[in-house]
Amino acid sequence: MRKKLNVKTILKYAVYFSLFVLLFHAETKNGLKPFALGLFVALVYSRENLLSVSPLYIVAALTADFSWQATVCAAAPALILGIAYFAHYKLKKPLSAALISFYAFLSQIPYVLLHVSGVSEALNTLLTVLVAQIFTYAAVFIVYAVKVRGLKYKLTIDEMVSGEILIAVFAIALYRYDIFGFIPFYTVAAFAILGAAFVFGGGMPVAAAALIGLGAAFAGADISIAAVLCVWAVIAVTLKSGGIYLSAAGILSADLLMGYYFMAYAEYTYLNVAAVSAGLLIFLLLPRRSKNYMLSFSGALKDTYSARTLVNRSRKDVAKRLGFLAKVFLNIREILTEEADSTGNEAGETVRLAREVSFRVCGGCASYESCRGAIGGDTSQVLEAVVENSVAAGKATMLNMPPFITSRCKKIPELIAVVNRAVQSLDGYKNARDGINEGKLMLAEQMGGISGLLSDLAFDVNKRLAFDSATEKAIIDELSYRNIVIGEAAVYGEGENLNVTLLVREGDGDKASLIKVLSKVLKREMNETNGSETVNGWQTLHFKAAPPYELTFGRAQEKRQGETVSGDTLFTGRVGDVVMLAICDGMGSGAGAMKTSVATMNLIENFYRAGFENDVIISLTNRLLSLRSSENFSTLDMLSVDLKTGNADVVKLGASDGFIKRGTRVETIDGHSLPIGILEKITPSIENIKLESGDIVILVSDGVSDALETDTLISVLEDFRSRNPQTIADELLAAAKARGLKDDATVIAARLV
């Protein structure tokens, strides 16, 4: 189905045709007409339909020169670009600005062949081609930036220079028109300078005025025209605070003063005044909606206070909800703990079982009434002591029976059997109850951990984000100068919590200068975090202040001889500014040990990445592993280092001694606790250490410590002169192998820098 043309589309193509006509008639004072091609190529590159724009371009060419030569020269770019686009489509290769500029150069070959007839024509033709190429490249940059990306984003240095060239070229085109003494150039210049003062202010209107004046000079005007227009701009900006009408009056007054008093124009008549007045009046009569739209072009300078205030208010609301949710999980933890701590009514269970035994054994006995009369009540009163003693002993025997029963009861064997079944039932009940309580305690601990996580998250989210608009502008300007297109920049936080979020053009996010520029502007080292997201040609990048320290590490591992896999599992990970390194050694060696150590490490890793504290991680992992039916356990040797402070926690559960190498001195980190997964409750060995830059922490599995005893390990480490963690890990493992390995062996060496 054909797409219907609406008024907006018709108007768009009418504007394109008018611009083509204007540029085909644009001529420098030395007779060059090289400009229309650049706009045509730029529009095609900016995703305009080649088949729709080409006829407009060719017809516009004929308005300037109605000849077969002009037709050939105008049709050549359309034909060559059409072939190029088809070839790139088939080859699935993108068309870059450089390539389309090259195709534009090829399209000028017919022009060269048709216009070179002598030396002077050859020089003029070659100069025309050269200027056309320069303008084409500039037009491609600025038209793509304006039409595809939008003016609300900061222009790069290349795009700004291209825009300046485009302004000068249109000034050349306009200055050539003289309608019975009325020169539209002054109308457009007045409109543009007043608009620049209204939208941008500052030096932007002066720069625009200078470029318009320079273009007029290229078209044959006196260079003094640039000075006149700059005076307009300075007055418009100066009077801007008094309103746009005052700026317009200032421009008109300045023109009258320069024209009549200083005689800045070769000829100054009422038509000059009319031309300037028309431009000012057109701008003043623009609807408010149109002016507001023009203000949106200064998007890089817009105040985003309202949006950022909304962000902070939303963060407060989220923090409040997280706080309440944390309390909910804390209440659940308290309820579950209280329920699990309740041991049950043991005395009540004894009475119940005694009555049940009495009913089953004594209820149908012929001597029941006799026994009841002798006791003065139900026989369960005597049986309570029997049940209680049997529960304590684990089973009922003749020795548990009181004299009253041994002297009167004729059903003692049956009584003992029934009591034993009751004791077994009670044991099963207790075991089930203990299992339920253990589950409650484990769930309570999880609820407590989640509550702590939510509380910490609420605290972080509740912090107000303080944005730094001045720094954001400095970053945008610096990156734009390096041809990195920035849609938006947000700088928030301070010190170690300084963060930057950038919206950059797709492809610019990989440029190495990004982090260099951020570090330079912010005067501190920055790191990229969280990767990037790409949507509709834009990448969102996140950066964070680099911590004072970094951790470099090396690792070496050897499986036990005869085994295909190692039972030792390694983990290295980073969450924020905390780095964790760990060795988990499953019981034994080979595949079984590997399965146990991997299961343990997976639990620890996921808890760690979720943000749980060390004590919660160890407790929950131990409880979960102790529930396994098989008797498997693992040793754990874990190092976590805070890169902001250099503080380190070394957690050991049945692991070998660790070591800290400070210069030539070696310190021992002892570990005395049981492995993880043996008992339901364990107390890990946790040592808090303050590391300094250059300190090296060494963790080893029992395969290494068995081959090299602690004293030998210390001696070997003292002799090492290398500060490279990988070299230390390799050489330590080599030393252990030289002594003979009897188990899987793993070494991790980590150095704070």
Side-chain angles (χ1 to χ4, degrees):
M1 182 181 294
R2 291 185 177 180
K3 186 177 179 181
K4 293 183 179 179
L5 289 177
N6 54 33
V7 175
K8 187 176 179 180
T9 304
I10 294 172
L11 183 61
K12 178 182 74 171
Y13 288 126
V15 170
Y16 290 163
F17 179 73
S18 301
L19 292 176
F20 285 144
V21 170
L22 189 66
L23 291 179
F24 269 117
H25 287 79
E27 183 178 358
T28 64
K29 61 182 179 181
N30 56 358
L32 299 181
K33 293 184 177 182
F35 304 115
L37 174 65
L39 180 62
F40 173 70
V41 174
L43 288 174
V44 173
Y45 182 70
S46 300
R47 304 173 186 173
E48 280 297 340
N49 191 313
L50 178 65
L51 296 178
S52 299
V53 177
S54 295
L56 303 178
Y57 177 73
I58 295 171
V59 173
L62 296 178
T63 64
D65 181 9
F66 192 78
S67 65
W68 69 268
Q69 292 94 337
T71 305
V72 171
C73 292
L79 180 62
I80 289 178
L81 289 182
I83 295 171
Y85 265 93
F86 180 77
H88 279 264
Y89 171 76
K90 286 295 183 181
L91 295 172
K92 297 181 179 179
K93 298 289 184 182
L95 190 62
S96 65
L99 275 175
I100 200 167
S101 297
F102 173 71
Y103 296 138
F105 174 75
L106 293 180
S107 71
Q108 294 191 80
I109 293 176
Y111 176 82
V112 173
L113 296 176
L114 291 172
H115 288 80
V116 174
S117 58
V119 175
S120 105
E121 290 83 357
L123 291 175
N124 196 60
T125 300
L126 292 177
L127 187 58
T128 299
V129 170
L130 177 61
V131 174
Q133 282 302 119
I134 294 172
F135 180 65
T136 297
Y137 197 72
V140 165
F141 265 94
I142 188 60
V143 172
Y144 184 88
V146 173
K147 189 174 179 300
V148 178
R149 202 178 69 235
L151 279 174
K152 63 180 180 178
Y153 298 114
K154 181 78 175 181
L155 298 177
T156 67
I157 187 69
D158 284 357
E159 291 165 350
M160 285 189 282
V161 171
S162 300
E164 292 164 358
I165 293 173
L166 194 69
I167 291 172
V169 166
F170 276 109
I172 292 172
L174 285 168
Y175 194 77
R176 304 294 296 181
Y177 286 89
D178 185 338
I179 306 172
F180 303 107
F182 183 92
I183 303 176
F185 168 83
Y186 293 109
T187 302
V188 175
F191 181 93
I193 292 171
L194 183 61
F198 174 73
V199 175
F200 299 103
M204 184 72 77
V206 179
L211 289 166
I212 294 170
L214 186 63
F218 274 112
D222 193 283
I223 191 64
S224 62
I225 190 68
V228 173
L229 298 183
C230 286
V231 171
W232 290 8
V234 170
I235 291 176
V237 172
T238 304
L239 300 177
K240 181 181 178 182
S241 60
I244 192 63
Y245 289 96
L246 186 60
S247 292
I251 290 175
L252 184 58
S253 301
D255 184 64
L256 290 169
L257 183 65
M258 300 295 288
Y260 282 117
Y261 186 77
F262 291 107
M263 297 181 181
Y265 303 99
E267 183 179 357
Y268 191 73
T269 68
Y270 73 94
L271 290 175
N272 293 77
V273 179
V276 174
S277 300
L280 299 174
L281 192 61
I282 290 171
F283 185 84
L284 294 174
L285 293 177
L286 285 176
R288 182 183 297 274
R289 182 178 177 182
S290 299
K291 291 177 181 174
N292 289 337
Y293 177 72
M294 293 174 68
L295 281 173
S296 71
F297 292 165
S298 60
L301 308 176
K302 285 192 298 183
D303 184 12
T304 55
Y305 176 78
S306 299
R308 295 181 173 186
T309 300
L310 181 62
V311 168
N312 277 314
R313 191 173 69 182
S314 299
R315 286 171 64 89
K316 272 194 166 303
D317 291 341
V318 171
K320 191 180 293 185
R321 294 187 181 188
L322 287 172
F324 286 133
L325 194 57
K327 290 179 180 178
V328 169
F329 282 102
L330 186 62
N331 291 339
I332 294 174
R333 174 184 177 275
E334 291 170 350
I335 292 171
L336 289 171
T337 303
E338 184 179 342
E339 284 292 319
D341 287 343
S342 176
T343 57
N345 187 357
E346 298 290 345
E349 287 300 316
T350 301
V351 172
R352 183 185 66 80
L353 289 176
R355 289 177 179 172
E356 183 179 334
V357 171
S358 173
F359 174 76
R360 292 182 180 277
V361 178
C362 304
C365 181
S367 304
Y368 176 69
E369 291 299 330
S370 173
C371 292
R372 180 182 173 86
I375 296 171
D378 192 79
T379 55
S380 62
Q381 297 175 24
V382 177
L383 293 174
E384 285 179 17
V386 175
V387 172
E388 187 174 348
N389 292 333
S390 300
V391 169
K395 65 178 181 178
T397 64
M398 182 65 75
L399 298 176
N400 299 127
M401 302 299 156
F404 178 83
I405 291 180
T406 56
S407 63
R408 300 177 62 91
C409 185
K410 299 177 181 178
K411 302 173 69 175
I412 290 180
E414 183 182 351
L415 176 63
I416 291 174
V418 172
V419 170
N420 279 333
R421 286 197 296 269
V423 169
Q424 290 176 357
S425 173
L426 182 60
D427 287 342
Y429 166 75
K430 285 182 177 180
N431 290 335
R433 186 189 64 197
D434 290 344
I436 292 172
N437 284 340
E438 180 62 28
K440 288 179 180 178
L441 288 173
M442 186 167 64
L443 190 56
E445 203 157 5
Q446 290 174 339
M447 296 298 104
I450 293 172
S451 176
L453 278 178
L454 292 174
S455 295
D456 291 343
L457 187 59
F459 178 77
D460 289 338
V461 172
N462 195 45
K463 292 177 182 175
R464 181 178 177 81
L465 293 181
F467 295 92
D468 189 343
S469 300
T471 304
E472 291 165 1
K473 186 176 184 305
I475 290 172
I476 291 173
D477 290 343
E478 186 71 25
L479 290 174
S480 298
Y481 181 76
R482 296 169 184 262
N483 289 319
I484 297 176
V485 178
I486 299 295
E488 190 175 349
V491 178
Y492 50 96
E494 56 186 4
E496 295 172 346
N497 297 316
L498 181 63
N499 289 269
V500 178
T501 297
L502 298 178
L503 183 67
V504 305
R505 179 176 58 188
E506 186 177 5
D508 285 352
D510 298 329
K511 293 185 178 179
S513 54
L514 265 175
I515 292 182
K516 291 181 181 178
V517 169
L518 290 179
S519 300
K520 174 185 172 184
V521 173
L522 298 169
K523 296 181 173 59
R524 67 176 303 149
E525 196 69 28
M526 301 295 291
N527 289 335
E528 186 176 354
T529 62
N530 301 330
S532 65
E533 303 167 4
T534 303
V535 179
N536 296 329
W538 291 93
Q539 282 181 278
T540 303
L541 304 174
H542 306 279
F543 302 87
K544 191 176 186 299
Y549 299 102
E550 283 296 335
L551 196 71
T552 62
F553 61 90
R555 52 191 181 182
Q557 194 170 32
E558 183 72 27
K559 60 182 178 292
R560 181 180 177 180
Q561 188 174 3
E563 298 289 353
T564 56
V565 294
S566 173
D568 295 349
T569 299
L570 286 169
F571 168 70
T572 59
R574 178 169 179 165
V575 175
D577 292 325
V578 177
V579 177
M580 191 183 91
L581 310 174
I583 301 173
C584 187
D585 182 5
M587 181 181 67
S589 61
M594 183 190 73
K595 185 176 180 180
T596 301
S597 64
V598 167
T600 304
M601 192 52 74
N602 284 343
L603 282 171
I604 292 172
E605 178 183 351
N606 291 326
F607 279 133
Y608 169 73
R609 292 194 182 280
F612 284 87
E613 296 295 332
N614 283 339
D615 55 344
V616 178
I617 293 174
I618 299 302
S619 178
L620 286 175
T621 303
N622 181 70
R623 284 183 183 276
L624 288 167
L625 292 176
S626 66
L627 295 176
R628 296 174 66 160
S629 57
S630 57
E631 191 177 275
N632 290 332
F633 59 85
S634 303
T635 66
L636 177 66
D637 207 355
M638 185 169 71
L639 168 71
S640 62
V641 182
D642 188 336
L643 299 179
K644 290 182 180 178
T645 62
N647 292 330
D649 291 335
V650 180
V651 181
K652 289 184 175 289
L653 286 163
S656 303
D657 291 343
F659 306 92
I660 304 175
K661 185 174 173 61
R662 303 182 191 267
T664 58
R665 182 165 49 91
V666 177
E667 300 174 8
T668 304
I669 308 171
D670 298 324
H672 304 293
S673 63
L674 292 171
I676 194 167
I678 289 184
L679 302 177
E680 293 177 357
K681 293 184 180 180
I682 55 172
T683 303
S685 171
I686 301 178
E687 188 162 345
N688 306 112
I689 304 166
K690 173 62 178 174
L691 297 177
E692 302 295 339
S693 182
D695 289 349
I696 302 174
V697 180
I698 299 98
L699 307 179
V700 300
S701 67
D702 58 1
V704 176
S705 60
D706 289 344
L708 300 171
E709 296 181 353
T710 299
D711 292 340
T712 307
L713 275 166
I714 293 174
S715 177
V716 171
L717 289 172
E718 286 176 341
D719 291 340
F720 283 160
R721 292 293 174 261
S722 174
R723 310 294 294 169
N724 186 324
Q726 186 60 56
T727 301
I728 292 174
D730 290 338
E731 292 187 4
L732 197 58
L733 182 62
K737 288 171 67 176
R739 296 291 186 96
L741 294 178
K742 298 179 181 179
D743 198 356
D744 302 316
T746 302
V747 181
I748 291 181
R751 180 187 176 196
L752 192 70
V753 293

